[in-house]
Amino acid sequence: VAGYGFVSFLTDYGVDDGFVAACHGVLLSRASSVRVIDITHTVPPGNVRRGAAVLAQTLTWLPPAVHVAVVDPGVGTERRAIAVATPTAVLVGPDNGLLSWAWPALGGAQAAMLLNASTSLVRQVSHTFHGRDIFTPAAAALAIGADLRDLGQPLDITSLVRLPEPRSSVQPGVIEAEVVTIDRYGNVQLAATASQLQAAGFGVGMDVVVQTASTEYGARTGHTFASVERGRLVVLEDSAGHLAVASNRDSAARILHVSDGDVIIVRSRRQRTDG
Amino acid sequence: VAGYGFVSFLTDYGVDDGFVAACHGVLLSRASSVRVIDITHTVPPGNVRRGAAVLAQTLTWLPPAVHVAVVDPGVGTERRAIAVATPTAVLVGPDNGLLSWAWPALGGAQAAMLLNASTSLVRQVSHTFHGRDIFTPAAAALAIGADLRDLGQPLDITSLVRLPEPRSSVQPGVIEAEVVTIDRYGNVQLAATASQLQAAGFGVGMDVVVQTASTEYGARTGHTFASVERGRLVVLEDSAGHLAVASNRDSAARILHVSDGDVIIVRSRRQRTDG
Amino acid sequence: VAGYGFVSFLTDYGVDDGFVAACHGVLLSRASSVRVIDITHTVPPGNVRRGAAVLAQTLTWLPPAVHVAVVDPGVGTERRAIAVATPTAVLVGPDNGLLSWAWPALGGAQAAMLLNASTSLVRQVSHTFHGRDIFTPAAAALAIGADLRDLGQPLDITSLVRLPEPRSSVQPGVIEAEVVTIDRYGNVQLAATASQLQAAGFGVGMDVVVQTASTEYGARTGHTFASVERGRLVVLEDSAGHLAVASNRDSAARILHVSDGDVIIVRSRRQRTDG
């Protein structure tokens, strides 16, 4: 049958106000049997890049769904409201790059629509809360079986706003990569993948150097946090398949003083002694 | 059929302890098919006014439901436990004003009950956790079809505790209004409505002055955050139909140094030059 | 019928990343009709004792369920992944003591399994995210009716890791007890129970002394927060049946400067004058 049993929801609305619940209410008023999977609502206000990273890395673990994401500092301006179809899901949100790491992760964009059909709207569309007034109504319509084509006008997929891919490069003994994002534990996720660790010639259990813009730190490659002593740095493959710098029972981000988008170099200790 | 498919839930219980889950558990143990819509659980401890504001502004977007709200510094004292029926919902909580902005928003109070029927109680009622022991059991009973009259004794609606309405006044070129509440983004919601902006003779795109107890700030009227440059103040209609002072990608509350209940004056810049 | 309609979930994953949602996704992809009750996800990172306390005190209020708990600083090491059956529920998580206060609260452990059956696993098990890759897949299997014995090898119940019980002792006029945990309001829960208050000869409405390692404070025994004046200390029975030190509209933990595991003495004021 048409439609979706699940709607996922990611925003920067926070959890202290009633914004998330108002969206749940709009959704459930129109699609009463749908079930909502909240991803997070504490993306830092307006931080599109952080929202994009969490979204793309989480969606692959969800059942087929309509995925609504709203980090939207340009709400009420000319930025477009879009829906993007992938093989098993539909992404709904602002056309500001927020969704652009997610559709490749879900198998690629098959079609895109500019949301504007009057059927998707609530009483009167506000200028500041399109999550409630445009995006969740569209998701509700899709959940109960509406055809994507009934929600707006087709868009050229190549016209969609995309965030730049985080950079990484690998040479023998040296990996240079941007920080994609940092999690609750202070694990520093890099743009490099675990396979790049092998490509650089690193094995597991090797002493390495982690270098930031300002200083450098000793670390080891390992499988998990407890591969090193408490408070020491470990370079490992994280649960999303990325290379990450972590610390056993401590925050690597705090130790390294790094943030999203900073560049980190991981290199073999031998490399350094040779230099 | 009788009953409700949804129960909404707002408290100051926080999200770090198991209090919210214990209430969900009581509810689902007694009404296993009901679905819970959590509004927020991070109302500042004991802040009845903040709870009342979030509740009243959110409930209008929810499907028909039993709405349970608990911000209850007087738990275990003589304050009454009540249920208030409106045309499409029942409100359940302490009689301390928390619900008093919500029932007008939902079409008015049609009946009120003092909760005391033994059917609504768990094993033994604690002195400190009536959310678990009185309010959610009552909500569960209502959800599965209990008649409101079976839950206690009728109360005179006029006897219910009410919070004072936030004040606002409007003259040509001058709006004076109390801060109702402040959201995650630092948007400062005023007691005045958008229609009062017109009544005061303000158009959209006008330069205005925002005056607090201590100082004054330049601002513009606009439709959305991005109507002004980054970091500048904008006076707009928010998503609840209130007038609000906001800032493009910044926190107006932080800029203005205001809190709930403070008084703000918005006046035309011309007015000021005339003064 | 076999299986469980509910899965509860407690972790230290936080709410800012997509970790909790990824676990929900794994669960709902495999057991689409199960409903999740989130207990809390903001256990301080790696704080097994705090997780154990919240878990044990909350589970008794939940319907029959599979209870998944993950506070797991040793993830990816030799620590075991276990499932523990009780009369009405199954507990799933790491064998590090996290579950050990819960099974007695749920009627005792009837059987325990080492989780390792390949049926419970996702694509490839990561070294750092067993909540997603081992524990929620096992919970999904149990929810849809799998037999506990199909998930791994039987374990001797006596081999399971247990946290030490928080200590308390009572003499006439003196209760000495460890702080079990502190809630959002700053209420300080002690290992002693309310019945120990009677055993020590304290009545309600008595002046008492609360003594910490560094200093002592006047307090009163009472039924609820409002039994004392605003800002004063009250010793009461909390909603879990424990003795707690609280303050009317203030944080007792802040006043007393205590944390989990600290020892507090409550004694009668007369006792002190005699000394």
Side-chain angles (χ1 to χ4, degrees):
Chain A
V1 301
Y4 292 88
F6 295 97
V7 170
S8 84
F9 196 29
L10 173 147
T11 72
D12 67 351
Y13 292 162
V15 297
D16 297 343
D17 302 295
F19 302 140
V20 171
C23 292
H24 282 220
V26 167
L27 202 49
L28 294 169
S29 296
R30 292 161 172 248
S32 63
S33 63
V34 84
R35 295 164 70 199
V36 185
I37 301 173
D38 290 295
I39 298 178
T40 181
H41 299 291
T42 51
V43 173
N47 191 334
V48 174
R49 191 179 185 281
R50 164 73 182 167
V54 173
L55 191 70
Q57 295 184 25
T58 306
L59 293 190
T60 54
W61 298 94
L62 303 194
V66 183
H67 303 298
V68 180
V70 193
V71 179
D72 193 13
V75 60
T77 65
E78 296 300 305
R79 74 94 187 88
R80 300 184 295 191
I82 57 171
V84 180
T86 74
T88 61
V90 182
L91 296 157
V92 174
D95 182 29
N96 62 6
L98 178 64
L99 312 176
S100 67
W101 291 348
W103 69 68
L106 291 175
Q110 295 178 323
M113 305 297 293
L114 177 68
L115 294 177
N116 67 350
S118 56
T119 52
S120 72
L121 306 180
V122 294
R123 307 163 198 175
Q124 192 186 349
V125 175
S126 68
H127 292 283
T128 57
F129 195 2
H130 287 186
R132 181 192 70 191
D133 297 349
I134 293 179
F135 300 124
T136 46
L142 290 164
I144 60 176
D147 193 295
L148 186 65
R149 289 165 295 190
D150 296 337
L151 295 180
Q153 279 93 47
L155 286 175
D156 183 349
I157 291 169
T158 62
S159 77
L160 301 177
V161 174
R162 283 167 169 79
L163 296 184
E165 283 296 316
R167 289 154 300 147
S168 70
S169 70
V170 56
Q171 302 171 235
V174 184
I175 295 169
E176 180 168 346
E178 208 174 311
V179 174
V180 178
T181 196
I182 292 168
D183 70 19
R184 181 194 202 203
Y185 305 92
N187 300 324
V188 176
Q189 184 184 67
L190 304 180
T193 62
S195 61
Q196 290 180 293
L197 195 68
Q198 275 93 57
F202 292 100
V204 165
M206 278 180 59
D207 287 320
V208 294
V209 171
V210 172
Q211 181 182 327
T212 65
S214 58
T215 178
E216 54 186 57
Y217 306 83
R220 276 183 78 81
T221 58
H223 279 311
T224 192
F225 311 114
S227 300
V228 294
E229 284 171 41
R230 189 185 273 244
R232 302 300 301 273
L233 293 173
V234 58
V235 176
L236 48 69
E237 175 178 3
D238 76 7
S239 61
H242 284 255
L243 214 58
V245 186
S247 175
N248 186 10
R249 303 234 186 174
D250 202 345
S251 162
R254 193 189 52 71
I255 293 170
L256 299 172
H257 296 99
V258 291
S259 315
D260 293 4
D262 287 351
V263 172
I264 281 181
I265 295 169
V266 179
R267 59 164 204 268
S268 61
R269 198 176 284 281
R270 195 158 54 89
Q271 191 78 6
R272 183 193 172 200
T273 346
D274 293 351
Chain B
V1 301
Y4 292 89
F6 295 96
V7 169
S8 83
F9 196 28
L10 174 146
T11 72
D12 66 350
Y13 292 162
V15 297
D16 297 343
D17 302 295
F19 302 140
V20 170
C23 292
H24 282 221
V26 167
L27 203 49
L28 294 168
S29 295
R30 292 161 172 246
S32 63
S33 63
V34 84
R35 296 165 69 200
V36 185
I37 301 174
D38 289 296
I39 297 179
T40 180
H41 298 292
T42 51
V43 173
N47 192 334
V48 174
R49 192 180 185 279
R50 164 73 182 168
V54 173
L55 190 70
Q57 296 184 23
T58 305
L59 293 191
T60 54
W61 298 95
L62 302 194
V66 183
H67 302 299
V68 180
V70 193
V71 179
D72 193 13
V75 60
T77 66
E78 296 300 305
R79 74 94 187 89
R80 302 184 294 192
I82 57 171
V84 180
T86 74
T88 60
V90 181
L91 296 156
V92 174
D95 183 29
N96 62 7
L98 178 65
L99 312 177
S100 68
W101 292 348
W103 69 68
L106 291 175
Q110 295 178 323
M113 304 299 292
L114 177 69
L115 294 177
N116 68 348
S118 56
T119 53
S120 72
L121 306 181
V122 294
R123 308 162 197 176
Q124 191 185 349
V125 175
S126 68
H127 292 284
T128 58
F129 195 1
H130 287 185
R132 182 193 70 191
D133 297 349
I134 293 178
F135 299 125
T136 47
L142 291 165
I144 60 177
D147 193 295
L148 187 64
R149 288 165 297 190
D150 296 338
L151 295 180
Q153 279 92 47
L155 286 175
D156 183 351
I157 291 170
T158 62
S159 78
L160 302 177
V161 174
R162 282 167 170 82
L163 295 185
E165 283 296 315
R167 291 153 299 149
S168 70
S169 70
V170 55
Q171 303 170 235
V174 184
I175 295 170
E176 180 168 346
E178 209 173 309
V179 174
V180 178
T181 197
I182 291 169
D183 71 19
R184 182 194 200 201
Y185 304 92
N187 300 324
V188 177
Q189 183 184 66
L190 304 179
T193 62
S195 60
Q196 289 180 293
L197 195 68
Q198 275 94 58
F202 293 99
V204 166
M206 278 180 59
D207 288 320
V208 295
V209 172
V210 172
Q211 183 183 326
T212 65
S214 59
T215 178
E216 53 186 57
Y217 306 84
R220 276 183 79 80
T221 59
H223 279 311
T224 192
F225 311 113
S227 300
V228 294
E229 285 171 39
R230 188 185 273 243
R232 302 300 301 273
L233 293 172
V234 57
V235 177
L236 47 69
E237 175 177 4
D238 76 7
S239 61
H242 284 255
L243 213 58
V245 186
S247 175
N248 186 10
R249 303 233 186 175
D250 202 344
S251 162
R254 194 188 52 71
I255 294 171
L256 298 172
H257 297 99
V258 290
S259 314
D260 293 3
D262 287 351
V263 172
I264 282 181
I265 295 170
V266 179
R267 60 163 201 267
S268 61
R269 198 176 284 280
R270 196 156 52 88
Q271 191 77 7
R272 183 194 172 200
T273 346
D274 293 353
Chain C
V1 301
Y4 292 89
F6 295 96
V7 169
S8 83
F9 196 28
L10 174 146
T11 72
D12 66 350
Y13 292 162
V15 297
D16 298 343
D17 302 296
F19 302 140
V20 171
C23 292
H24 282 219
V26 167
L27 202 49
L28 294 168
S29 296
R30 292 161 172 248
S32 64
S33 63
V34 84
R35 296 165 68 200
V36 185
I37 301 174
D38 289 296
I39 298 178
T40 181
H41 298 291
T42 51
V43 173
N47 191 334
V48 173
R49 192 179 185 280
R50 163 73 182 168
V54 173
L55 191 70
Q57 296 184 23
T58 305
L59 293 190
T60 54
W61 298 95
L62 303 194
V66 183
H67 303 298
V68 180
V70 193
V71 179
D72 193 13
V75 61
T77 66
E78 295 301 304
R79 75 93 186 90
R80 301 184 295 192
I82 57 171
V84 180
T86 74
T88 60
V90 182
L91 296 157
V92 174
D95 182 30
N96 62 6
L98 178 64
L99 311 176
S100 68
W101 291 348
W103 70 68
L106 291 175
Q110 296 180 323
M113 305 298 293
L114 176 69
L115 294 178
N116 67 350
S118 56
T119 52
S120 73
L121 306 179
V122 295
R123 308 162 198 177
Q124 191 186 349
V125 174
S126 68
H127 292 283
T128 58
F129 195 2
H130 287 186
R132 182 192 69 191
D133 298 348
I134 293 178
F135 300 125
T136 46
L142 291 164
I144 60 176
D147 194 295
L148 187 63
R149 289 164 296 190
D150 295 338
L151 295 181
Q153 280 92 47
L155 287 175
D156 182 350
I157 291 170
T158 62
S159 78
L160 302 178
V161 174
R162 283 167 169 81
L163 296 184
E165 283 295 315
R167 290 154 301 150
S168 70
S169 70
V170 54
Q171 303 170 234
V174 185
I175 295 169
E176 180 168 346
E178 209 173 309
V179 174
V180 179
T181 196
I182 292 168
D183 71 19
R184 182 194 201 202
Y185 304 92
N187 300 324
V188 177
Q189 184 183 67
L190 304 180
T193 62
S195 62
Q196 290 180 294
L197 196 67
Q198 274 94 58
F202 292 100
V204 166
M206 278 180 60
D207 288 320
V208 295
V209 171
V210 172
Q211 181 183 325
T212 65
S214 59
T215 179
E216 54 186 56
Y217 306 83
R220 276 184 79 80
T221 58
H223 279 311
T224 192
F225 311 114
S227 300
V228 293
E229 285 171 40
R230 188 185 274 245
R232 302 300 299 276
L233 293 172
V234 57
V235 177
L236 47 69
E237 175 178 4
D238 76 7
S239 60
H242 284 255
L243 214 58
V245 186
S247 174
N248 186 10
R249 304 233 187 176
D250 203 346
S251 161
R254 194 188 52 71
I255 293 171
L256 299 172
H257 296 98
V258 291
S259 314
D260 293 4
D262 287 351
V263 171
I264 282 182
I265 295 170
V266 178
R267 60 163 203 267
S268 61
R269 198 177 284 281
R270 196 156 53 88
Q271 190 78 5
R272 183 194 173 201
T273 346
D274 294 352

